[in-house]
Amino acid sequence: MTLTDAQQLGYINAQAADGRVNVELETDDGMVLNMGPQHPATHGTLRLVARLDGEQVTSADVMCGYMHRGYEKLCEVRSYPQVTTLVNRIDWLGSFANEVPFILAAEQLMEVEAPPRAQWIRTLLFELSRIANVSLFIGDLALQLGAQTPAFYAFRDREFVLNQIESVTGGRFHPNFDRIGGLKDDLPKGWIAETKAAMVRLRAFCDEMEGLVYGNEIFQSRTRGVGIIPAAVAQSYGLSGANLRGSGVDWDLRRDANVGLVYDQLDWKVWTHPDGDSYSRCWVRLQEVREATTIVDQICDGLPSGAIMAKVPRIIKVPAGEAYIATENPLGQMGYYVVSKGDTGPFRVKIRSASFNNISIAPWLLRGVYVPDIITILASLYFILGDIDR
Amino acid sequence: MGLVESGKMPKPLTKLLNLSRKYSIWAYQWGLACCAIEMGAAFASPRYDVMRLGVIPFPASPRQADLVVISGTVTDKIVPAIKRLYEQMPDPKYVISMGSCTNCGGPYWDSYSVTKGVDQIIPVDVYVPGCPPRPEALLEGVVLLQERIQNEDMAARWRGEQDRQEPIIVG
């Protein structure tokens, strides 16, 4: 019996819906391999249906929606401070970075500006969450290639960053610290010195990883020349963040469209790599962690004094209007399109999250690769399921 | 153990059996969302290190697991897979529900696509509240579960005389 593609896919879907996951199906024209929905190589619950010809992938489909929590609908029934709590959980590794664009959009509508000290601390926490996010990526990347030790190192050194975030905000993961018009609290006493010490440790972690993972012969042979994305293709699929910079496109929202943060007053560099393969994407991320530690050091040195909260009314009502603000989050461009009708809660929130666009290239990228390379390519694309499905 | 199946078990042997079961829990990590990272920190990081409690967090399949930690938001789409996972595990099996989402829906209590509590699908032994709970809270849940295992009467359970105990709530 010859099944059409749609029938085969329907069969697989029915199987998975029944809970029978990881099915392998022999058909006349090759085999269908189903990965997921729960697979260690996916940061959450993603399902991948790959059609194979021997060891080669002839086509691959990404099925998402296993982590869909209905954010955009929930935002409509929450007030502005409550939305901040909710959007923390989109990209759960770099939580603070999710709050910032939403708060900036609300501030733009209210025509409020945070005081300079609040802007500097925002930038500081933004970069700390980038470090917390990407340092775990480096450990996880090695884990997916079969090496467990780097994951332990990543968890060990990531704790130093989480400690710093926790002592400011009170939460290891979900700080919910950003307020319209400023921040909830000032930095605690002695925090700056502790942060600088933590940054020294993180730089040592980067050096360690460069030798242990990036310099490793196995790692290089499995990632160099694999999963190449040319710059034009990357742009046409709407990739952002390190995936785009790994293809040699010099584009970073922190430098090119900086709103409300203080990146224009700091001395830092946008890293790119011309190759566009899996290795270059991972390499760019490692350099970004290094760059983020120097940014944090600079902010610690140049932190201005003053208030941390602008004058805002007690009950926040945002005037009618529309605003779109995007920032360069750890995963890429994250934007919030907020429509207000003058109420205490937003009328509509559209969330443009980085991972959704980044994973959209997977069917194009996985065509023709070998089965073991699926894992390395997906790992190097670096997505988080909360960020895809929202 | 033939003795357990016959429904008769001397007390010292029960103690010995429970002691060995308590310190060799194979835990399956069913990580779904944010809590999965805290579970990773509790189970696979050098700071928290669950292996010192006698829990081995790396079984290859749910068929080898005694304990499953459901951590993260359970959506309606993933529910069939969770049910199948629980059915695949051999008895005696335990479930830790980690985080507010898994306990009751958490911040998504009014969402259209989130299951409000994994206890609607499978029986839960330990609830760990928090959003997400700290790794210490999960370790506390593991320790409390070990205490319960120590006091269990396997033979009575096999004869069907022991009712399901009330779930433990951490904190």
Side-chain angles (χ1 to χ4, degrees):
Chain A
M1 187 181 73
T2 313
L3 294 169
T4 63
D5 278 12
Q7 279 171 329
Q8 274 181 28
L9 212 57
Y11 177 74
I12 303 261
N13 276 331
Q15 294 268 308
D18 201 12
R20 274 178 227 125
V21 289
N22 282 326
V23 288
E24 292 179 3
L25 188 68
E26 294 272 2
T27 55
D28 294 342
D29 48 328
M31 193 177 90
V32 177
L33 176 71
N34 181 33
M35 285 167 64
Q38 219 272 356
H39 188 276
T42 61
H43 305 250
T45 46
L46 181 79
R47 209 170 117 237
L48 191 81
V49 179
R51 236 171 250 101
L52 309 178
D53 179 17
E55 270 285 285
Q56 268 187 320
V57 179
T58 51
S59 71
D61 285 302
V62 177
M63 315 259 153
C64 47
Y66 286 94
M67 205 21 57
H68 178 65
R69 294 159 290 181
Y71 269 106
E72 293 181 4
K73 201 70 192 163
L74 287 181
C75 288
E76 293 172 12
V77 293
R78 302 278 201 270
S79 67
Y80 280 91
Q82 286 172 332
V83 170
T84 322
T85 325
L86 211 58
V87 297
N88 261 189
R89 287 149 179 85
I90 291 179
D91 160 20
W92 47 68
L93 284 172
S95 300
F96 186 79
N98 297 325
E99 301 172 15
V100 174
F102 178 78
I103 292 288
L104 289 175
E107 280 181 356
Q108 195 184 60
L109 283 173
M110 286 182 74
E111 291 170 359
V112 192
E113 198 180 348
R117 187 173 170 85
Q119 290 184 9
W120 279 70
I121 298 176
R122 265 182 201 171
T123 316
L124 177 59
L125 288 170
F126 199 93
E127 287 305 311
L128 280 182
S129 60
R130 183 187 310 278
I131 297 168
N133 187 327
V134 182
S135 61
L136 191 62
F137 157 78
I138 296 168
D140 190 64
L141 171 75
L143 189 68
Q144 292 181 21
L145 285 160
Q148 288 216 332
T149 319
F152 293 133
Y153 285 156
F155 268 118
R156 182 194 67 191
D157 288 338
R158 187 169 174 269
E159 290 289 333
F160 295 107
V161 183
L162 291 185
N163 276 355
Q164 294 314 106
I165 294 177
E166 189 185 1
S167 59
V168 187
T169 64
R172 274 163 62 88
F173 256 58
H174 300 314
N176 191 22
F177 193 63
D178 217 351
R179 299 283 186 273
I180 293 175
L183 292 167
K184 179 172 168 288
D185 276 320
D186 211 330
L187 299 177
K189 212 176 158 189
W191 189 82
I192 300 278
E194 283 171 28
T195 309
K196 281 190 165 176
M199 289 307 112
V200 173
R201 291 212 61 130
L202 259 295
R203 272 192 287 275
F205 165 76
C206 288
D207 295 341
E208 201 175 14
M209 284 296 133
E210 195 148 39
L212 191 66
V213 181
Y214 289 77
N216 188 311
E217 203 178 313
I218 302 169
F219 177 78
Q220 293 209 358
S221 61
R222 284 198 64 182
T223 51
R224 277 206 191 262
V226 173
I228 296 171
I229 309 176
V233 179
Q235 280 170 324
S236 71
Y237 272 95
L239 299 197
S240 54
N243 292 329
L244 186 61
R245 290 192 286 275
S247 295
V249 183
D250 191 8
W251 184 82
D252 193 320
L253 280 176
R254 289 179 285 176
R255 183 196 58 199
D256 301 338
N258 179 39
V259 189
L261 300 170
V262 294
Y263 288 109
D264 46 352
Q265 298 170 44
L266 304 168
D267 178 30
W268 58 287
K269 179 176 182 297
V270 177
W271 289 87
T272 56
H273 197 289
D275 286 0
D277 56 3
S278 296
Y279 182 86
S280 66
R281 289 191 284 276
C282 304
W283 183 86
V284 167
R285 287 206 176 86
L286 180 73
Q287 302 309 322
E288 278 179 7
V289 178
R290 275 222 185 96
E291 202 64 44
T293 58
T294 61
I295 292 176
V296 169
D297 276 352
Q298 286 177 43
I299 296 174
C300 285
D301 289 334
L303 205 57
S305 57
I308 50 154
M309 195 74 189
K311 271 211 160 93
V312 283
R314 227 179 144 70
I315 294 168
I316 286 169
K317 277 197 176 176
V318 175
E322 300 173 5
Y324 177 78
I325 299 278
T327 52
E328 185 74 23
N329 276 39
L331 295 162
Q333 180 190 3
M334 178 163 209
Y336 289 86
Y337 182 67
V338 182
V339 182
S340 176
K341 297 245 162 159
D343 229 335
T344 50
F347 176 74
R348 174 88 170 85
V349 177
K350 167 81 183 81
I351 304 167
R352 190 269 186 219
S353 60
S355 294
F356 186 69
N357 287 50
N358 287 351
I359 196 71
S360 72
I361 203 172
W364 181 87
L365 194 55
L366 292 178
R367 201 175 302 142
V369 305
Y370 291 98
V371 173
D373 291 339
I374 297 177
I375 307 292
T376 54
I377 289 171
L378 285 183
S380 76
L381 277 177
Y382 191 33
F383 47 86
I384 285 179
L385 260 289
D387 207 35
I388 295 179
D389 293 334
R390 299 187 292 278
Chain B
M1 296 282 285
L3 276 170
V4 176
E5 282 150 34
S6 68
K8 282 175 282 188
M9 185 91 154
K11 261 227 163 94
L13 262 184
T14 310
K15 262 197 161 164
L16 193 66
L17 177 66
N18 283 345
L19 196 71
S20 49
R21 285 202 306 133
K22 173 182 164 186
Y23 288 126
S24 63
I25 298 176
W26 284 55
Y28 192 74
Q29 304 185 28
W30 187 265
L32 293 166
C34 334
C35 292
I37 311 297
E38 288 294 65
M39 182 176 64
F43 279 7
S45 89
R47 180 174 291 193
Y48 299 103
D49 185 23
V50 82
M51 283 201 200
R52 70 202 152 97
L53 301 174
V55 175
I56 298 136
F58 304 111
S61 117
R63 288 170 207 277
Q64 302 170 354
D66 306 309
L67 164 71
V68 62
V69 183
I70 313 265
S71 55
T73 317
V74 180
T75 56
D76 290 348
K77 198 170 176 178
I78 201 80
V79 157
I82 289 182
K83 195 162 168 52
R84 178 57 59 106
L85 159 100
Y86 183 73
E87 285 164 358
Q88 279 178 348
M89 286 168 62
D91 250 334
K93 51 192 170 186
Y94 304 93
V95 178
I96 291 183
S97 156
M98 181 188 182
S100 298
C101 297
T102 326
N103 292 345
C104 62
Y108 316 107
W109 59 275
D110 52 350
S111 168
Y112 55 83
S113 58
V114 174
T115 310
K116 301 348 174 254
V118 77
D119 48 8
Q120 295 176 15
I121 325 158
I122 55 175
V124 174
D125 292 284
V126 183
Y127 291 96
V128 185
C131 190
R134 295 182 64 90
E136 290 96 329
L138 180 60
L139 297 190
E140 169 87 9
V142 170
V143 170
L144 290 175
L145 183 70
Q146 284 179 333
E147 272 174 28
R148 168 163 291 186
I149 293 174
Q150 177 67 66
N151 298 324
E152 240 176 13
D153 187 350
M154 282 303 289
R157 195 174 161 155
W158 186 265
R159 293 196 302 269
E161 284 170 10
Q162 192 176 37
D163 290 337
R164 228 184 77 75
Q165 288 168 296
E166 279 293 300
I168 303 167
I169 297 168
V170 174

